[in-house]
Amino acid sequence: MQGWLIYKKQEAERNQHAVSFYLDAAAKRGVSLTLMLFEQFSADAASYGEKKVEKFPDFVIMRADVPAFSAALEQRGIPVFNNARLSFVANDKWETVKLARTLGVPTPVTCLATKENAAAEAAKLGYPLVMKPRDGHGGQDVLWIASETELRSVLLLFDHDSFLLQQPVSDLGRDLRVYVLGGCIVAAMLRSREDDFRSNYCLGGTATIHTLTEAEQALVETVIKALPMDFAGVDLLYHNGQPVLGEIEDVVGARMLYHVAGLSIIDDYVDYIIDKLS
């Protein structure tokens, strides 16, 4: 069995340990897994670098957040983990909000805005508010906006054509990352930070193992049922003590699970892929 592990170049360099974990896990199971860089492919995956792709893999582990490219691989009959549908919804925060609304899953009060209508939309929501790009990850470019003056100043430099404006949840600096493998909840990590409203582990937040409440589990399972996941994260925020959906993480990291919980989730993921293909 042969597979591709696809990363964007910068992310492959930043996540060298994770790349090695994937390659080692596959090798230990007699699977040939090759690291491929997204930037080297043509849009339809027909060529890599300057060469035509002569043989396509039996499967792809997709660690690049490019839904259209995942779809191009699937059109060739290649199983892609995670699939293009999940990638499309998870990598567009507005699509995530729309899915939640169809499911009756609570989210922060949110609107989609552009630079042209942001001030008017923000006035409807009221200040303060949170501003975030549709395609952001890891808390990047997520901003706290206290006033219209601050919003207009930020808009001059904000490098996103459309973005989300949200009313802040009541419980700031605290969120829950729920890890999902093969459509099943495998672990949950509560993240917190006292000096920032963003609690991301990669931004300096602390993490502890968490046992899900009935409300948390029910919310996550509703999302999983509507959007099948191979290996992903579902992030919950808290408003007045109740969980609300924050976002879905397609290319989910595993640092917290390794560092805090001691779980070898990548080995489990490779086992899951092999079992599913078999």
Side-chain angles (χ1 to χ4, degrees):
M1 187 182 298
Q2 296 183 334
W4 287 347
L5 174 66
I6 300 180
Y7 270 86
K8 291 181 178 178
K9 184 176 186 295
Q10 184 176 0
E11 290 302 304
E13 293 172 351
R14 191 172 72 88
N15 293 282
Q16 292 182 26
H17 284 94
V19 170
S20 66
F21 289 160
Y22 275 106
L23 300 181
D24 290 346
K28 286 187 294 187
R29 292 157 177 79
V31 174
S32 175
L33 187 63
T34 303
L35 173 64
M36 309 288 280
L37 300 179
F38 165 73
E39 293 87 349
Q40 296 292 314
F41 282 101
S42 61
D44 61 357
S47 62
Y48 186 77
E50 298 181 354
K51 296 182 178 180
K52 179 182 177 182
V53 175
E54 299 292 344
K55 187 177 187 304
F56 287 93
D58 299 306
F59 67 94
V60 165
I61 300 176
M62 180 59 70
R63 301 293 293 174
D65 50 352
V66 190
F69 188 64
S70 295
L73 293 169
E74 290 177 350
Q75 288 171 4
R76 294 182 177 276
I78 303 170
V80 179
F81 303 87
N82 289 306
N83 62 56
R85 168 64 178 161
L86 173 63
S87 183
F88 172 72
V89 173
N91 289 299
D92 185 331
K93 289 180 172 56
W94 183 240
E95 291 297 330
T96 302
V97 169
K98 290 196 299 181
L99 174 66
R101 289 175 177 174
T102 64
L103 299 175
V105 168
T107 66
V109 178
T110 305
C111 71
L112 181 65
T114 65
K115 291 188 176 183
E116 289 72 25
N117 69 5
E121 293 297 329
K124 297 175 185 177
L125 293 177
Y127 294 94
L129 52 81
V130 175
M131 180 177 182
K132 60 179 64 174
R134 294 176 65 168
D135 59 350
H137 298 280
Q140 295 180 351
D141 289 343
V142 177
L143 305 173
W144 182 270
I145 307 296
S147 66
E148 181 176 340
T149 299
E150 187 173 347
L151 174 64
R152 292 188 182 279
S153 177
V154 166
L155 288 173
L156 295 175
L157 301 174
F158 202 60
D159 191 25
H160 301 276
D161 294 329
S162 64
F163 42 88
L164 271 60
L165 297 175
Q166 290 184 334
Q167 291 182 354
V169 293
S170 62
D171 300 14
L172 298 175
R174 174 173 172 260
D175 75 352
L176 184 69
R177 163 67 55 81
V178 181
Y179 286 91
V180 179
L181 178 61
C184 298
I185 296 170
V186 294
M189 304 295 294
L190 187 66
R191 305 182 293 190
S192 60
R193 188 173 178 183
E194 295 183 358
D195 61 343
D196 198 314
F197 73 97
R198 301 167 300 175
S199 54
N200 304 71
Y201 189 65
C202 62
L203 295 179
T206 60
T208 56
I209 300 171
H210 177 78
T211 300
L212 294 177
T213 65
E214 290 185 5
E216 292 163 351
Q217 182 165 336
L219 191 159
V220 174
E221 289 181 344
T222 298
V223 175
I224 294 172
K225 185 176 180 180
L227 190 66
M229 304 177 186
D230 296 312
F231 178 40
V234 179
D235 291 351
L236 306 184
L237 305 172
Y238 294 92
H239 188 60
N240 296 328
Q242 296 299 312
V244 299
L245 179 64
E247 58 188 67
I248 302 168
E249 196 71 21
D250 168 24
V251 186
V252 65
R255 290 185 182 90
M256 285 189 296
L257 289 180
Y258 279 102
H259 294 166
V260 180
L263 296 178
S264 300
I265 194 69
I266 289 177
D267 287 276
D268 296 337
Y269 187 23
V270 173
D271 281 335
Y272 159 78
I273 291 171
I274 294 172
D275 288 345
K276 190 162 186 179
L277 293 175
S278 299

